[in-house]
Amino acid sequence: MSAAVGESLFIGRVRQVQAVVDAFRQVEQGETLAVVVTGESGVGKTRFLATVMQRLRADGAVVLSGGCLDIAQAPLYPLRQALRWFLAEAGEADTPSAGAAGDLVMLLDRGVVHPGAGGSWLERVTTRLSAITEGRPLVLALDDLHWADPTTRDLLKHLLAVPSGMRLLVLGAARAEYLVRDHPVQLLLLELLRRRSGRMVKLGPLVRAETEQLAEALVGRALALKEAAGIWERSRGNPFVAEGLARGLREGEVGLPESLREIAVATVDALPRDARTVVCAVAAGVEPVVYELLRRVVDLGEDALIAALRAAMDQRIIEDPGGEGYRFRLGLFKEALAAGFLSGERVALHRRYAQAITEAPGGHEQHARLAHHWRQAGELQPALAEAVAAAEEAEERYGFAEGFGHWTLALEIMDRAGSGQPGGVERVEVVRRAARAADRSGEHQQAVDLLGELAASLAGPAPCWLHIGRAGCLAALGRLAEAEAEYERVLAGECADQDRAAAAAQSAGLLVRLGRYAAAGQRAREALDLAQRIGDTSSVVVASAALGSSQAALDDPVAGRRTAEEALRAAERSGRHDDIMLAYLHLADLLTGPLDELEAGVAVARKGAARADALGLGRTYGTQLLAAAANGLFRLGRWGEGERVIAEAFAGRPSGTEAADLLLARSKLSIAYGDFEAGERDLDAATTLVAGGGGARYVLPLLTLRAGLAMWRGDHAAARQAVREGLAQFEHSDGVISQAVLVWHGLRAEAEAAAGGQVAVDDRAVGALHEAEERIAAVAAGRAGPVRQTVTGYLALCAGERSRIKGEPDPQVWARAADLWERSRHPYPAAYARLRQADAGYDRRTRNAAAAAALRSAHRVARQLGARELLDEISDLARRARVTLVEPGAGTAVPEQRERPSGELARLTERELEVLALVAQALTNQKIAKRLHIAPSTVGVHVSHILDKLQIHSRVQATAIFLRNRRD
């Protein structure tokens, strides 16, 4: 949902707000201080003042706020405005503060208070301001302080210099471009700083993340990568500009909004003539524009050029950060000015730039700049040559996103040239390399589009390499079924052995992602045989990595790990970066998945992600590796670290299946923390990303998480639907671990239904789940040890849920499940099993010491994890069982305290309130007894006492009273 058009959004500025609050705390202790907030136009000074004033008003301050005018003949205008606003807010209230404010306004209007009235006028103002405060701190907030008139400045000097007994904070906001040497307000501020009664708070631009947060709030949706980049480049963090761009985007404006364009042009038009010339020349350049290049382009003497640059910098239009060259402070200036060039003016400027760069020492190495300028000058042949050179140079530096931009420029130049393509460059090769760069930089859809356009333009069948490339891009988009079909076309067609080996090897990796490990192993061996025979080392690496995953998941974890590690070593020897990253990914997935070596897997994933960043592949392989690390950290119980890893990965704005992996990892964390809305948002987003055929790798985790979310919300129908859909996917995957997790969730949903008593158990669903459980157990018996161990843990949870469904929860079954998970160091399922062990023990009303120990163990782990919903369930059971959650000897146990109800329910005891709440759910005495672990006859006694105390005769009346007095 987007913010309202007039809504004031305040993003960031935490440190600056705290600086003002700290100053106010000193004022509360009796000091008199001034804080001046400075920053360039549009940086949010007025909004900052409004936010801080609201905070200080809430802290008990009297706040008078006004704004200065750029009119010399308006003495004390900000004070007059502040007093009138204060009286307007007071309304008809007859208070000493309002009276003093009205008296001061009258004096100002009658001319009694002004400089010509003698020096005593300052004391009169001070006295009445003090009366307005009634002993409270006073905040005098003045916006546009740089326009303060002499009388206002005199008043401020007096208030800040002469003791009056008033606790005063002067809070001003001034534009940084005005506070130059000899400006009166600058001199006043320097004097205050010298006397240590003044503070300066600088507001700089927002950082990129804050800028995007602001824009997304106004647009009402997440921004596409290109949209976010456009807002950042144009605004450079200036909130005013970012808001204008975001509102334009919300209204469907593609280019620069007219209002912002006019502001930018008007600001430049106000410059001296030479400064305008220089600024327009910078607008035609590629930032940063170094001084020597600019001197060659503009026809000005050196002194005139320096003076012009100084004028433009004083007005904060251009800057020279770090002496690296001139650039616009805000990108909108460049866009607005460039759009206003006459065609001849633009051509001449760009030709001068191209010639100047070419003639300069080392100019031939600036391929990107030359490509841009030659293209804008209409010289297509040199532009194309330089664009291709720039793309190749960027890829040598692992700048694949930059390289993709240059390949795209090369294609645009070729399209512009038409049939007479310059330079003899082959378009097919340019498209191929552009698609490859797009895929490496995470722009998978653009890569698919490029290859699709190329296939359509070719006469005859598409070449095999095109099918292979398109398959990889489709897989990255989550369209795994389409990707598999592309590989099959190559394997069934008349292709060279090298293409067949590559297709088979990559297809094996795809089958691993689809959860079809047996088929993946067979395909990987076929690929290895062919690749080794023809000496294709890349396909050997890719096939070996897939084979290792298959071996580890099916029957031989030792061989699987050895094969995957050898694949990584071979990839390192070959030096092929994509092969290296693919090998890292397979090994990390293998360790954090079927091998269950979580610590090692997280370490490999983090190391691989760092390597991916160094190779320019952080947005693709790096994201997948960080998702693997996050999943491993979740299972280890290191949730906070997992959150940080996910945030690190999302900073790269991943797309396709890379984003889906992350979204699933974050959703799992959010649901476990109890943040269901966030978890559902991520599930919906991940579903959208893999809607085109994501395979069991994505579908089963998605449906399992949906079932878990629905269970926590008490939505049995949604949980059952998700589980049914998941069971239908089993025939497409032989990943028994993910199958076992889903079956556990299905049985847990039925157990929750049985425990709640509101929804009948679905016996058909239980039967289907039990059959699936037996099939999983049979398959797992022949699988590798680590896989078998993990599946055994989930089947133990299933056994516990079945005992709940039968109405005979068995503490021994749950204790066995908890022991299994504790031995494998998986804290969350262990804590859940201990909770169920305790619940089952109290249900039997036997061995309560063991139940209490299990409950405390569950509480300790859940609290360490931060699993809010699990903690609530543990605490609820502890309260009902009258158990403290601190182990004996660990300190003084403090039972949880609940606020006592008032009114009709005040006469009931805690236990009677618990019974009444369950009566209101239409539960029978037997079911209430089961919930509270007491005898049904005891429930009957409590119900009788409730009816007597409330002086009623039926459960229906009791329910009505409970609902009438229920508190949220």
Side-chain angles (χ1 to χ4, degrees), residues 40 42 205-208 211-212 214-215 228-245 256 260 327-333 335:
E40 64 186 25
L206 300 176
V207 299
R208 183 161 187 166
T211 304
E212 292 183 19
L214 175 64
I231 289 178
W232 172 250
E233 289 302 322
R234 289 163 163 173
S235 70
R236 301 278 169 80
N238 184 287
F240 174 80
V241 177
E243 288 183 10
L245 294 166
L256 187 66
L260 291 178
R327 51 169 280 178
F328 287 99
R329 292 180 65 84
L330 305 178
L332 73 94
F333 281 107
E335 185 172 349

Side-chain angles (χ1 to χ4, degrees), residues 132-374:
I132 291 172
T133 68
E134 294 187 85
R136 290 180 291 167
L138 173 64
V139 176
L140 182 58
L142 305 178
D143 201 2
D144 292 323
L145 189 60
H146 48 274
W147 285 331
D149 61 272
T151 309
T152 298
R153 296 198 300 270
D154 288 342
L155 175 61
L156 294 179
K157 291 176 186 177
H158 178 81
L159 291 173
L160 293 167
V162 179
S164 63
M166 183 169 49
R167 293 178 292 168
L168 172 67
L169 174 65
V170 173
L171 182 59
R175 293 183 192 171
E177 56 264 39
Y178 281 84
L179 298 184
V180 295
R181 185 173 51 188
D182 296 334
H183 189 284
V185 174
Q186 173 74 347
L187 296 175
L188 172 61
L189 180 57
L190 291 174
E191 176 63 19
L192 294 174
L193 291 172
R194 186 183 63 81
R195 295 198 317 227
R196 299 186 178 182
S197 58
R199 308 279 190 276
M200 181 180 288
V201 172
K202 295 183 179 180
L203 291 187
L206 300 176
V207 299
R208 183 161 187 166
E210 293 170 340
T211 304
E212 292 183 19
Q213 181 185 354
L214 175 64
E216 288 181 347
L218 287 167
V219 175
R221 59 172 172 79
L223 299 178
L225 184 63
K226 189 174 182 180
E227 292 171 337
I231 289 178
W232 172 250
E233 289 302 322
R234 289 163 163 173
S235 70
R236 301 278 169 80
N238 184 287
F240 174 80
V241 177
E243 288 183 10
L245 294 166
R247 290 193 175 100
L249 190 60
R250 184 174 61 191
E251 300 301 323
E253 294 187 46
V254 178
L256 187 66
E258 186 64 21
S259 58
L260 291 178
R261 191 195 70 80
E262 290 177 354
I263 290 172
V265 172
T267 304
V268 173
D269 285 346
L271 292 172
R273 179 179 176 180
D274 286 351
R276 291 200 303 273
T277 299
V278 170
V279 167
C280 287
V282 174
V286 177
E287 297 178 347
V289 181
V290 297
Y291 176 79
E292 281 302 319
L293 180 59
L294 191 61
R295 187 173 64 82
R296 291 169 179 264
V297 171
V298 298
D299 189 18
L300 290 175
E302 194 155 10
D303 291 342
L305 174 58
I306 291 173
L309 286 167
R310 174 62 64 189
M313 293 177 71
D314 285 345
Q315 292 304 308
R316 296 181 175 264
I317 296 173
I318 63 173
E319 60 183 357
D320 181 17
E324 296 177 354
Y326 298 100
R327 51 169 280 178
F328 287 99
R329 292 180 65 84
L330 305 178
L332 73 94
F333 281 107
K334 182 182 182 70
E335 185 172 349
L337 293 173
F341 286 153
L342 299 174
S343 58
E345 180 184 16
R346 183 186 66 252
V347 168
L349 267 172
H350 285 289
R351 183 177 289 117
R352 287 205 297 269
Y353 264 113
Q355 291 170 345
I357 293 171
T358 304
E359 294 168 1
H364 62 282
E365 297 176 358
Q366 300 195 48
H367 303 297
R369 291 173 183 265
L370 284 169
H372 169 74
H373 290 304
W374 283 128

Side-chain angles (χ1 to χ4, degrees), residues 771-794:
E771 288 178 9
E773 188 182 354
E774 290 180 334
R775 288 197 303 270
I776 291 169
V779 172
R783 290 291 174 87
V787 173
R788 190 166 58 249
Q789 178 180 335
T790 302
V791 171
T792 299
Y794 284 113

Side-chain angles (χ1 to χ4, degrees), residues 611-694:
R611 187 74 180 278
D613 279 340
L615 296 176
L617 299 170
R619 192 176 177 217
T620 52
Y621 289 109
T623 297
Q624 291 176 283
L625 284 159
L626 289 177
N631 284 320
L633 290 167
F634 177 86
R635 295 174 70 190
L636 284 167
R638 290 154 58 181
W639 292 3
E641 190 177 346
E643 278 188 295
R644 292 190 292 274
V645 167
I646 291 170
E648 176 187 343
F650 268 116
R653 301 183 68 90
S655 63
T657 55
E658 293 100 6
D661 287 326
L662 273 185
L663 288 165
L664 289 175
R666 190 168 67 180
S667 177
K668 186 189 302 181
L669 269 173
S670 296
I671 293 170
Y673 277 134
D675 189 349
F676 298 147
E677 289 186 3
E680 187 171 34
R681 282 196 303 271
D682 284 342
L683 282 179
D684 289 343
T687 301
T688 301
L689 287 173
V690 298

Side-chain angles (χ1 to χ4, degrees), residues 794-849:
Y794 284 113
L795 294 180
L797 294 174
C798 291
E801 304 294 3
R802 280 190 279 104
S803 74
R804 292 177 70 202
I805 293 169
K806 294 175 184 176
E808 302 171 354
D810 189 336
Q812 294 303 317
V813 171
W814 284 112
R816 176 175 174 271
D819 289 342
L820 286 171
W821 287 112
E822 285 170 353
R823 282 199 297 271
S824 61
R825 297 178 60 205
H826 288 66
Y828 185 77
Y832 175 81
R834 290 298 180 202
L835 165 64
R836 294 294 169 227
Q837 177 191 350
D839 197 10
Y842 288 125
D843 185 77
R844 294 190 173 190
R845 294 190 296 281
T846 58
R847 299 189 64 188
N848 285 349

Side-chain angles (χ1 to χ4, degrees), residues 225 404 435 437-448 619 655:
L225 184 63
F404 174 51
D439 187 44
R440 283 178 157 186
S441 60
E443 299 297 334
H444 308 301
Q445 185 60 59
Q446 294 192 56
V448 169
R619 192 176 177 217
S655 63

